[in-house]
């Protein structure tokens, strides 16, 4: 193997076979993927299924708390889990730039293998393309996930109802600020780590032990504020958010203040919003806080009749302001 990715590795010939055996099968191999057929054979899934696909273009490839490989697994596993499903299988497609350091590719594939094992999913099919130097930025990864829906009915952004409580599984803004500070070489008193992590084991517990979950949604691009606007619009209701109840790490709050950013709009890659009837909120918080991925869970607001599609923030000083959706992205290439 060359110490750099060559165009030959995407040719489908002997070089491609070496890349598959010595990198991808070494770290991601399982009985399904090892067949090396043109498609994956799935024989053990039945009933309603959830499918989600996402493409990851993050810069830099390695960041505090993760890398593009683990992020690609967590991101798609979490999207499948947000439909009240148990993720089971992933596909994975790599777009590689000629000249990419082979050690970086090996490290990222190994990270994906660990993340998939931790989530309880298998990568059962994939693809690799190599493009000439300058046609891409090092590496892009597409992952598609499939899982069995265990919630009945499945959670949806259209199912929030007046009287529901709005919960969040943890602190806001960690991922977005971690990427920005690492990208810009900024240093604060405490290192800020991405919150990239899988959420499927926690969402499964919520569905099985609490039930009647109306909405599950992970606030990735656009952060908490944009995601709540999406839910309010889908459900045709108003959401009241309590600013002083939203958990934000002190170092993230300080970094945002320094950089002029709002943590409510920063991306998260290991947190989710849970909306369910208010009388189930205490039980849901108990379940969330007993799990490592939800130990900072909090009740942050309520759904009410109000104006359809509107999110209102009750500030820590007692005032109110509209919390609108961003026109574009505060930080590009964060996931």
């Amino acid at each position: 193997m060359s110490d750099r990715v060559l165009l030959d590795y995407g040719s489908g010939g002997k070089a491609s076979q070496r890349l598959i055996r010595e990198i991808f099968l070494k770290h991601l191999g399982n009985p399904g993927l090892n067949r090396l057929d043109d498609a994956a054979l799935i024989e053990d899934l039945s009933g309603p299924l959830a499918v989600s696909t996402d493409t990851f273009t993050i810069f830099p490839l390695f960041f505090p708390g993760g890398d593009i490989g683990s992020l690609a697994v967590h991101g798609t596993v979490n999207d499948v889990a947000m439909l009240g499903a148990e993720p089971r299988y992933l596909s994975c497609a790599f777009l590689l730039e000629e000249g990419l350091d082979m050690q970086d590719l090996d490290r990222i594939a190994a990270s994906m293998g660990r993340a998939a094992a931790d989530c309880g999913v298998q990568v059962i099919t994939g693809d690799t393309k190599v493009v000439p130097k300058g046609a891409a930025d090092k590496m892009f990864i597409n992952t598609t996930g499939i899982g069995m829906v265990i919630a009945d009915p499945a959670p949806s952004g259209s199912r929030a109802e007046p009287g529901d409580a709005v919960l969040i599984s943890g602190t806001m803004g960690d991922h977005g600020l971690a990427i920005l500070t690492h990208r810009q070489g900024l240093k604060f008193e405490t290192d800020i780590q991405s919150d990239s992590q899988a959420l499927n084991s926690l969402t499964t517990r919520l569905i099985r032990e609490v039930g009647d979950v109306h909405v599950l949604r992970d606030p990735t691009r656009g952060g908490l504020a944009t995601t709540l606007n999406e839910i309010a619009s889908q459900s045709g209701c108003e959401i009241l958010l309590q600013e002083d109840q939203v958990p934000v790490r002190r170092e993230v709050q300080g970094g945002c203040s320094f950089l002029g950013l709002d943590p409510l709009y920063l991306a998260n890659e290991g947190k989710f919003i849970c909306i369910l009837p208010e009388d189930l909120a205490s039980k849901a918080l108990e379940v969330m806080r007993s799990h490592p991925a939800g130990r900072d869970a909090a009740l942050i607001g309520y759904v009410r009749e109000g104006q359809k599609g509107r999110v209102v923030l009750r500030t820590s000083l007692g005032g109110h302001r509209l919390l609108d959706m961003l026109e574009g992205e505060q930080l590009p290439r964060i996931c």
Side-chain angles (χ1 to χ4, degrees):
M1 292 281 287
S2 167
D3 61 352
R4 296 279 171 181
V5 170
L6 308 175
L7 287 173
D8 288 345
Y9 290 129
S11 67
K14 291 182 178 178
S16 292
Q17 295 302 313
R18 283 199 300 274
L19 183 72
I20 291 169
R21 285 196 309 271
E22 298 180 23
I23 297 289
F24 298 127
L25 290 185
K26 181 175 73 172
H27 296 300
L28 303 172
N30 57 70
L33 188 65
N34 295 349
R35 294 166 64 104
L36 294 179
D37 289 330
D38 286 346
L41 181 64
I42 300 175
E43 299 181 297
D44 60 342
L45 296 184
S46 61
L49 302 178
V51 180
S52 182
T53 192
D54 204 346
T55 302
F56 298 83
T57 68
I58 194 166
F59 171 79
L61 298 179
F62 302 93
F63 50 85
D67 57 70
I68 190 173
S70 57
L71 182 68
V73 173
H74 294 156
T76 295
V77 162
N78 290 346
D79 284 345
V80 172
M82 293 305 120
L83 204 68
E86 291 184 328
R88 297 287 294 277
Y89 298 111
L90 290 178
S91 74
C92 180
F94 292 88
L95 184 64
L96 308 177
E97 183 188 22
E98 178 189 18
L100 175 70
D101 190 311
M102 193 63 77
Q103 290 188 351
D104 284 350
L105 179 59
D106 185 82
R107 186 177 161 194
I108 287 167
S111 176
M112 291 188 75
R114 289 192 297 271
D118 290 344
C119 298
V121 300
Q122 292 184 342
V123 177
I124 55 172
T125 189
D127 184 43
T128 305
K129 294 291 189 297
V130 181
V131 297
K133 191 170 182 60
D137 187 3
K138 296 183 180 179
M139 176 188 297
F140 301 149
I141 301 177
N142 173 271
T143 46
T144 297
I146 184 168
M148 293 192 297
V149 177
I150 59 172
D152 184 20
S156 168
S158 64
R159 291 190 56 216
E161 299 177 2
D164 282 354
V166 181
L167 314 181
I168 193 76
S169 66
T171 54
M172 292 290 95
D174 301 28
H175 178 74
L177 198 65
I179 298 301
L180 176 64
T181 55
H182 187 57
R183 186 184 294 173
Q184 301 299 327
L186 300 175
K187 298 288 186 183
F188 296 100
E189 286 187 7
T190 304
D191 287 339
I192 299 171
Q193 301 277 317
S194 166
D195 61 354
S196 178
Q197 63 179 333
L199 300 167
N200 54 314
S201 65
L202 177 50
T203 55
T204 294
R205 281 193 57 191
L206 271 178
I207 291 164
R208 295 195 186 284
E209 297 177 27
V210 181
D212 203 15
V213 175
H214 291 173
V215 182
L216 290 173
R217 185 71 64 85
D218 52 345
T220 53
R221 285 181 298 175
L224 177 65
T226 297
T227 306
L228 288 179
N229 270 277
E230 292 171 353
I231 295 168
S233 178
Q234 282 181 264
S235 296
C237 59
E238 182 175 288
I239 294 176
L240 175 65
L241 185 65
Q242 311 259 47
E243 184 177 38
D244 56 4
Q245 298 301 310
V246 178
V248 180
R249 295 187 193 282
R250 185 176 58 84
E251 55 269 32
V252 171
Q253 188 68 63
C256 286
S257 298
F258 178 75
L259 296 167
L261 298 171
D262 187 341
L264 299 183
Y265 287 96
L266 287 179
N268 312 274
E269 289 292 343
K271 308 289 167 48
F272 66 91
I273 297 165
C274 173
I275 297 179
L276 74 179
E278 184 180 358
D279 60 356
L280 295 177
S282 296
K283 176 62 176 175
L285 283 173
E286 181 182 332
V287 170
M288 293 165 82
R289 288 169 178 165
S290 69
H291 191 284
R295 58 179 175 268
D296 296 317
L299 193 164
I300 60 171
Y302 295 93
V303 180
R304 60 187 188 182
E305 293 283 355
Q307 183 174 321
K308 293 181 179 179
R310 189 168 74 167
V311 178
V312 178
L313 180 72
R314 178 177 290 162
T315 71
S316 53
L317 298 177
H320 293 79
R321 70 177 174 89
L322 288 178
L323 204 61
D324 206 355
M325 184 179 291
L326 284 180
E327 177 67 23
E329 180 58 77
Q330 274 197 126
L331 306 171
R333 296 195 59 190
I334 53 173
C335 60

